[in-house]
Amino acid sequence: MKIAVRTKESAYKALEREFESTLVNELIPGILHNFANPLNGIMGRSKLLQRRMNEHFNKIKECCPDFAREIVDEQDKLSTDVISICKESDRFFYLFQDLASKFYVISDNRFERINLKKLIENELRFLEFYLDFKHEIKKTIKLTSDMPWIYGTQSGYSLCFSALLRSSMYRMKKSETKELSIITDCDERNIMVVIQDTGAKMIVNTDSATEGDSLLSCNVDMSSLVCVQLLFKEYNVKSVFEGKTGWNRVTLQIPVNRESST
Amino acid sequence: MKIAVRTKESAYKALEREFESTLVNELIPGILHNFANPLNGIMGRSKLLQRRMNEHFNKIKECCPDFAREIVDEQDKLSTDVISICKESDRFFYLFQDLASKFYVISDNRFERINLKKLIENELRFLEFYLDFKHEIKKTIKLTSDMPWIYGTQSGYSLCFSALLRSSMYRMKKSETKELSIITDCDERNIMVVIQDTGAKMIVNTDSATEGDSLLSCNVDMSSLVCVQLLFKEYNVKSVFEGKTGWNRVTLQIPVNRESST
């Protein structure tokens, strides 16, 4: 990628871009690595403490039963504190995992079988780090529990689904109603995924996706959707994009047999 | 920025780029927000627990002195567990702050007075998230403690220093000796900063930085250094880049008087 260094502003932008380009492969793995140490420490210790404290309370009960009855409220408070620390550190760990999984998945370029339900669920948990998605949008998610495997690269499907869902999020930024639904269905040959949102009308230039050789800016919604279309086409996924006033719908038909996927 | 969507590969890259572009302004703030809740929970509870547990032990000592003497080892273990949780959660908090500070600073575009010592120290702590920087490089840092203020935008200086230090890190990737030193000195008019590394020979095209209108790729080391030069020039910072076999040195002379900075 070539960037014209003409002015102070473009030099500044180029440095910002250079910094950004380190985030996925260097910074985020480093954050996960550095955060893992204290988090593991807290989790390990709090579980150890919980066990030891119970033993301690049992011993008091055994040796000084009168005293134990007297301090039962204090003991409860101490137990509650430890339980709360264990709970918060577990919660932290799950958040940590949501982040780690996403960055693991987008670096996994192997062609392999994919559990699409799990992939979509991971995507949704990861999107909770986008605060608009977490706080502003009402989500209705109905995923078939016994989906067959699909075949492809996790990274590609992850990028496509996250681009689709973020584009819904961006379109709903100014909507009064912010509702997103993801519904799946499947038969022996295909998994159907319907993503619907109540955002501003979606515009997709299907022709250029089909031709696939026009020059497009990928910073705008339209063109990232074009990229999604293009990739899905490569994956033999049939995609239909419908942008209407008041609602938008993306319908995907994903083949489950190994042979037809590339 | 325009990206040609011609092939599956470029669509994939465009989606990666689109995802990357959300990291600085959306994802990282979201990570900090979501992580802050459990971290605050753990910190608050562990401090509360520490106080309550001490009160509990004092009460045992008072009411059942013989029993207290008997369980002194157990009490020590319980105390150690709680102290360890407090320590780990503090450690986590400082890491969290290092990350938050950096993203705060690069979004701060106000022209204001800057404590350069603090800015460089923050940069160095942030760079600990880059694991090569943290684990592989021997750092010698000697910063004058009574530096005068400089005037400028924090974001600009932060981007420049982080680009300089990361470029040292990248150059040392294959070096046998990996040593980085940052030494400052100052008088009434200027702060001098000397950054030296033992990496592969640094190549900087000074002419294009001076002319400032050539087309440069900013993904390679050279051009991000050219961007740094260009920005420093705008800030009235004199910069000298010396690339030699075995060592590289960047010398900066940063004016401290408000009038001469822009």
Side-chain angles (χ1 to χ4, degrees):
Chain A
M1 204 181 308
K2 298 273 176 183
I3 294 165
V5 180
R6 282 211 177 79
T7 61
K8 180 183 159 190
E9 283 68 30
S10 58
Y12 186 92
K13 280 215 163 58
L15 286 181
E16 276 189 321
R17 171 76 193 97
E18 194 269 338
F19 173 60
E20 270 175 33
S21 76
T22 70
L23 299 196
V24 169
N25 295 320
E26 293 176 89
L27 181 64
I28 303 266
I31 292 175
L32 292 170
H33 177 93
N34 287 1
F35 280 7
N37 282 334
L39 181 56
N40 281 330
I42 293 166
M43 289 181 78
R45 277 289 177 170
S46 56
K47 266 146 195 111
L48 193 65
L49 173 62
Q50 195 169 28
R51 211 188 59 215
R52 278 189 181 142
M53 195 180 267
N54 286 335
E55 287 168 4
H56 171 70
F57 290 155
N58 286 335
K59 202 163 185 178
I60 298 180
K61 219 186 213 165
E62 211 177 280
C63 301
C64 320
D66 292 343
F67 179 65
R69 267 188 296 277
E70 201 181 301
I71 59 161
V72 73
D73 284 355
E74 284 167 38
Q75 288 191 347
D76 281 351
K77 277 181 189 159
L78 285 166
S79 294
T80 309
D81 287 343
V82 179
I83 289 167
S84 159
I85 292 170
C86 289
K87 218 190 260 174
E88 291 289 340
S89 62
D90 283 346
R91 190 178 147 205
F92 209 150
F93 178 72
Y94 293 128
L95 282 175
F96 186 87
Q97 267 197 323
D98 295 339
L99 192 61
S101 305
K102 170 71 178 184
F103 283 86
Y104 177 76
V105 160
I106 58 168
S107 70
D108 185 356
N109 298 314
R110 289 171 300 175
F111 184 90
E112 62 195 336
R113 63 178 193 177
I114 298 171
N115 181 334
L116 190 66
K117 180 171 185 274
K118 208 177 135 198
L119 187 137
I120 294 174
E121 284 170 343
N122 284 347
E123 255 355 287
L124 288 167
R125 278 199 303 271
F126 175 72
L127 281 164
E128 299 275 307
F129 288 111
Y130 292 75
L131 299 177
D132 276 358
F133 191 88
K134 181 179 183 183
H135 294 298
E136 304 288 333
I137 294 170
K138 194 188 155 209
K139 276 89 71 181
T140 307
I141 313 296
K142 287 180 190 159
L143 308 180
T144 325
S145 59
D146 53 350
M147 274 183 210
W149 298 98
I150 61 167
Y151 292 86
T153 60
Q154 296 235 50
S155 56
Y157 276 97
S158 171
L159 277 175
C160 286
F161 273 101
S162 90
L164 283 178
L165 297 174
R166 273 186 288 109
S167 98
S168 286
M169 175 178 88
Y170 298 137
R171 276 197 304 278
M172 286 191 278
K173 204 152 186 107
K174 289 184 177 167
S175 304
E176 222 165 278
T177 318
K178 296 169 199 274
E179 291 181 13
L180 172 75
S181 75
I182 308 176
I183 294 168
T184 66
D185 196 3
C186 60
D187 57 29
E188 279 169 12
R189 306 182 64 182
N190 294 294
I191 297 175
M192 274 70 70
V193 182
V194 180
I195 302 172
Q196 200 159 318
D197 68 60
T198 56
K201 193 174 170 178
M202 171 168 68
I203 299 159
V204 190
N205 186 348
T206 319
D207 294 339
S208 55
T210 315
E211 293 167 10
D213 59 356
S214 53
L215 201 70
L216 290 154
S217 152
C218 251
N219 287 339
V220 295
D221 178 50
M222 185 193 83
S223 57
S224 76
L225 292 183
V226 170
C227 295
V228 170
Q229 278 189 317
L230 204 88
L231 274 189
F232 274 149
K233 201 163 177 282
E234 286 282 332
Y235 300 159
N236 290 326
V237 171
K238 281 188 193 134
S239 66
V240 179
F241 289 70
E242 297 166 88
K244 307 283 177 185
T245 310
W247 59 271
N248 301 292
R249 184 164 52 208
V250 177
T251 309
L252 307 172
Q253 186 182 317
I254 305 168
V256 299
N257 56 321
R258 183 163 196 162
E259 286 68 44
S260 64
S261 306
T262 52
Chain B
M1 206 180 306
K2 299 273 177 183
I3 293 164
V5 180
R6 283 211 178 80
T7 61
K8 181 184 159 188
E9 281 69 29
S10 58
Y12 187 91
K13 279 212 164 61
L15 286 182
E16 276 188 320
R17 170 75 193 99
E18 194 268 339
F19 173 60
E20 270 175 34
S21 77
T22 69
L23 299 196
V24 170
N25 295 320
E26 293 175 90
L27 181 65
I28 303 267
I31 292 174
L32 291 169
H33 177 93
N34 287 1
F35 280 7
N37 283 334
L39 182 56
N40 281 331
I42 293 166
M43 289 181 78
R45 277 291 177 169
S46 56
K47 265 142 195 115
L48 193 65
L49 174 61
Q50 194 169 29
R51 212 190 58 217
R52 278 189 183 143
M53 196 181 266
N54 286 335
E55 287 168 3
H56 170 70
F57 291 155
N58 286 336
K59 204 163 185 178
I60 298 181
K61 218 185 213 165
E62 210 177 278
C63 302
C64 320
D66 292 341
F67 178 65
R69 267 189 296 277
E70 201 182 301
I71 60 163
V72 72
D73 284 355
E74 285 168 37
Q75 286 191 348
D76 281 352
K77 278 181 190 159
L78 285 166
S79 293
T80 308
D81 287 343
V82 179
I83 288 167
S84 159
I85 292 170
C86 288
K87 217 191 261 173
E88 291 289 339
S89 63
D90 282 346
R91 189 178 147 206
F92 209 150
F93 178 71
Y94 294 127
L95 282 175
F96 187 87
Q97 266 197 322
D98 295 340
L99 191 62
S101 304
K102 169 71 177 183
F103 283 85
Y104 177 76
V105 160
I106 58 168
S107 70
D108 186 356
N109 297 315
R110 290 171 300 175
F111 184 90
E112 62 194 335
R113 64 179 193 175
I114 298 171
N115 181 334
L116 189 67
K117 181 171 185 275
K118 207 177 135 198
L119 187 135
I120 294 173
E121 284 170 343
N122 285 348
E123 257 352 289
L124 288 168
R125 278 199 302 274
F126 175 71
L127 281 164
E128 299 276 308
F129 288 110
Y130 291 76
L131 299 177
D132 277 359
F133 191 88
K134 181 179 183 182
H135 296 298
E136 303 288 334
I137 295 170
K138 194 189 155 208
K139 277 90 67 180
T140 306
I141 314 295
K142 286 179 190 161
L143 307 179
T144 325
S145 59
D146 53 350
M147 275 183 209
W149 297 100
I150 60 167
Y151 292 85
T153 59
Q154 297 236 49
S155 56
Y157 276 97
S158 171
L159 279 175
C160 286
F161 274 100
S162 91
L164 283 179
L165 297 174
R166 272 186 289 107
S167 98
S168 285
M169 175 179 88
Y170 297 137
R171 275 196 305 277
M172 287 192 276
K173 203 150 188 108
K174 289 183 178 168
S175 304
E176 222 166 278
T177 318
K178 296 169 197 275
E179 292 181 13
L180 172 75
S181 75
I182 308 176
I183 294 168
T184 66
D185 195 4
C186 60
D187 57 29
E188 279 171 13
R189 306 180 64 182
N190 293 294
I191 297 176
M192 274 70 70
V193 182
V194 180
I195 302 171
Q196 201 159 317
D197 68 59
T198 56
K201 192 174 171 178
M202 172 168 68
I203 300 159
V204 190
N205 186 347
T206 319
D207 295 337
S208 56
T210 314
E211 293 168 9
D213 58 358
S214 55
L215 201 69
L216 292 154
S217 154
C218 251
N219 287 338
V220 294
D221 179 49
M222 185 193 82
S223 57
S224 76
L225 292 182
V226 170
C227 296
V228 170
Q229 278 190 318
L230 204 89
L231 274 188
F232 274 148
K233 200 163 177 282
E234 286 283 332
Y235 299 161
N236 290 325
V237 172
K238 281 188 193 136
S239 66
V240 179
F241 289 71
E242 297 166 270
K244 309 279 178 191
T245 310
W247 60 271
N248 300 293
R249 184 162 53 207
V250 177
T251 309
L252 306 173
Q253 184 182 316
I254 306 169
V256 299
N257 58 321
R258 184 163 195 158
E259 287 67 45
S260 66
S261 307
T262 52

Short mmCIF file of all heavy atoms in Angstrom, two decimals, chain A residues 53 57 71-83, chain B residues 45 48-49 52:
data_model
loop_
_atom_site.label_atom_id
_atom_site.label_comp_id
_atom_site.label_asym_id
_atom_site.label_seq_id
_atom_site.Cartn_x
_atom_site.Cartn_y
_atom_site.Cartn_z
N MET A 53 -10.18 -21.24 53.60
CA MET A 53 -11.05 -20.51 54.53
C MET A 53 -12.15 -21.43 55.06
O MET A 53 -12.50 -21.38 56.24
CB MET A 53 -11.64 -19.29 53.84
CG MET A 53 -12.25 -18.32 54.84
SD MET A 53 -12.93 -16.92 54.04
CE MET A 53 -11.55 -15.82 54.10
N PHE A 57 -12.87 -22.26 58.95
CA PHE A 57 -14.17 -22.10 59.63
C PHE A 57 -14.60 -23.42 60.29
O PHE A 57 -15.14 -23.42 61.40
CB PHE A 57 -15.24 -21.62 58.66
CG PHE A 57 -15.04 -20.19 58.21
CD1 PHE A 57 -15.55 -19.75 56.99
CD2 PHE A 57 -14.35 -19.27 59.01
CE1 PHE A 57 -15.37 -18.44 56.58
CE2 PHE A 57 -14.16 -17.96 58.60
CZ PHE A 57 -14.67 -17.54 57.38
N ILE A 71 -19.70 -15.65 65.80
CA ILE A 71 -19.15 -14.90 64.66
C ILE A 71 -19.71 -15.37 63.31
O ILE A 71 -19.13 -15.13 62.26
CB ILE A 71 -17.60 -15.01 64.62
CG1 ILE A 71 -17.15 -16.49 64.51
CG2 ILE A 71 -16.96 -14.33 65.80
CD1 ILE A 71 -15.73 -16.65 64.03
N VAL A 72 -20.86 -16.01 63.37
CA VAL A 72 -21.40 -16.58 62.13
C VAL A 72 -21.65 -15.52 61.04
O VAL A 72 -21.40 -15.74 59.86
CB VAL A 72 -22.66 -17.44 62.43
CG1 VAL A 72 -23.86 -16.59 62.79
CG2 VAL A 72 -22.98 -18.37 61.27
N ASP A 73 -22.06 -14.32 61.46
CA ASP A 73 -22.29 -13.24 60.48
C ASP A 73 -20.99 -12.78 59.81
O ASP A 73 -20.94 -12.57 58.60
CB ASP A 73 -22.95 -12.03 61.16
CG ASP A 73 -24.43 -12.28 61.43
OD1 ASP A 73 -24.94 -13.35 61.00
OD2 ASP A 73 -25.06 -11.42 62.08
N GLU A 74 -19.97 -12.65 60.65
CA GLU A 74 -18.66 -12.25 60.11
C GLU A 74 -18.14 -13.28 59.12
O GLU A 74 -17.59 -12.93 58.07
CB GLU A 74 -17.64 -12.14 61.24
CG GLU A 74 -17.79 -10.90 62.09
CD GLU A 74 -16.96 -11.00 63.36
OE1 GLU A 74 -15.84 -11.54 63.28
OE2 GLU A 74 -17.46 -10.58 64.42
N GLN A 75 -18.29 -14.54 59.50
CA GLN A 75 -17.85 -15.61 58.61
C GLN A 75 -18.57 -15.56 57.27
O GLN A 75 -17.96 -15.73 56.21
CB GLN A 75 -18.09 -16.97 59.28
CG GLN A 75 -17.14 -17.24 60.42
CD GLN A 75 -17.22 -18.69 60.91
OE1 GLN A 75 -18.13 -19.41 60.54
NE2 GLN A 75 -16.25 -19.08 61.71
N ASP A 76 -19.88 -15.30 57.36
CA ASP A 76 -20.65 -15.19 56.11
C ASP A 76 -20.11 -14.07 55.22
O ASP A 76 -20.00 -14.24 54.00
CB ASP A 76 -22.13 -14.90 56.43
CG ASP A 76 -22.86 -16.16 56.85
OD1 ASP A 76 -22.26 -17.26 56.72
OD2 ASP A 76 -24.01 -16.06 57.31
N LYS A 77 -19.78 -12.95 55.87
CA LYS A 77 -19.26 -11.82 55.08
C LYS A 77 -17.93 -12.19 54.42
O LYS A 77 -17.70 -11.87 53.25
CB LYS A 77 -19.08 -10.59 55.97
CG LYS A 77 -20.37 -9.82 56.16
CD LYS A 77 -20.17 -8.60 57.02
CE LYS A 77 -21.53 -7.98 57.38
NZ LYS A 77 -21.46 -7.12 58.56
N LEU A 78 -17.06 -12.84 55.19
CA LEU A 78 -15.77 -13.25 54.62
C LEU A 78 -15.97 -14.23 53.45
O LEU A 78 -15.36 -14.09 52.40
CB LEU A 78 -14.91 -13.90 55.71
CG LEU A 78 -14.28 -12.94 56.74
CD1 LEU A 78 -13.75 -13.70 57.94
CD2 LEU A 78 -13.15 -12.13 56.11
N SER A 79 -16.87 -15.18 53.65
CA SER A 79 -17.16 -16.14 52.58
C SER A 79 -17.70 -15.43 51.34
O SER A 79 -17.30 -15.75 50.20
CB SER A 79 -18.18 -17.18 53.03
OG SER A 79 -17.64 -17.97 54.05
N THR A 80 -18.61 -14.49 51.57
CA THR A 80 -19.19 -13.74 50.44
C THR A 80 -18.12 -12.99 49.67
O THR A 80 -18.13 -12.96 48.43
CB THR A 80 -20.26 -12.74 50.95
OG1 THR A 80 -21.17 -13.45 51.78
CG2 THR A 80 -21.01 -12.10 49.80
N ASP A 81 -17.18 -12.38 50.42
CA ASP A 81 -16.09 -11.67 49.74
C ASP A 81 -15.30 -12.61 48.84
O ASP A 81 -15.03 -12.28 47.68
CB ASP A 81 -15.12 -11.07 50.79
CG ASP A 81 -15.72 -9.86 51.50
OD1 ASP A 81 -16.70 -9.30 50.97
OD2 ASP A 81 -15.21 -9.50 52.58
N VAL A 82 -14.96 -13.78 49.36
CA VAL A 82 -14.15 -14.70 48.57
C VAL A 82 -14.94 -15.23 47.37
O VAL A 82 -14.42 -15.31 46.26
CB VAL A 82 -13.64 -15.88 49.44
CG1 VAL A 82 -12.82 -16.84 48.59
CG2 VAL A 82 -12.79 -15.35 50.58
N ILE A 83 -16.20 -15.56 47.60
CA ILE A 83 -17.04 -16.03 46.49
C ILE A 83 -17.12 -14.96 45.41
O ILE A 83 -17.03 -15.23 44.22
CB ILE A 83 -18.46 -16.40 46.99
CG1 ILE A 83 -18.38 -17.69 47.82
CG2 ILE A 83 -19.44 -16.59 45.82
CD1 ILE A 83 -19.64 -18.00 48.62
N ARG B 45 -13.13 -5.82 46.37
CA ARG B 45 -13.43 -6.93 47.28
C ARG B 45 -12.20 -7.41 48.02
O ARG B 45 -12.26 -7.78 49.19
CB ARG B 45 -14.00 -8.11 46.50
CG ARG B 45 -15.44 -8.02 46.22
CD ARG B 45 -16.26 -8.17 47.49
NE ARG B 45 -17.66 -7.99 47.14
CZ ARG B 45 -18.67 -8.25 47.93
NH1 ARG B 45 -18.46 -8.69 49.16
NH2 ARG B 45 -19.90 -8.05 47.54
N LEU B 48 -11.37 -5.09 50.83
CA LEU B 48 -12.39 -5.26 51.88
C LEU B 48 -12.12 -6.54 52.66
O LEU B 48 -12.14 -6.56 53.90
CB LEU B 48 -13.76 -5.34 51.20
CG LEU B 48 -15.02 -5.22 52.06
CD1 LEU B 48 -15.11 -3.83 52.67
CD2 LEU B 48 -16.28 -5.48 51.20
N LEU B 49 -11.84 -7.61 51.92
CA LEU B 49 -11.56 -8.91 52.53
C LEU B 49 -10.35 -8.84 53.45
O LEU B 49 -10.35 -9.40 54.55
CB LEU B 49 -11.33 -9.94 51.42
CG LEU B 49 -10.89 -11.34 51.83
CD1 LEU B 49 -11.94 -12.01 52.71
CD2 LEU B 49 -10.63 -12.21 50.59
N ARG B 52 -11.40 -7.11 56.67
CA ARG B 52 -12.29 -7.98 57.47
C ARG B 52 -11.54 -9.16 58.07
O ARG B 52 -11.81 -9.57 59.20
CB ARG B 52 -13.43 -8.51 56.60
CG ARG B 52 -14.55 -7.54 56.44
CD ARG B 52 -15.73 -8.20 55.76
NE ARG B 52 -16.79 -7.24 55.54
CZ ARG B 52 -17.57 -7.21 54.47
NH1 ARG B 52 -17.42 -8.10 53.52
NH2 ARG B 52 -18.52 -6.29 54.37
#
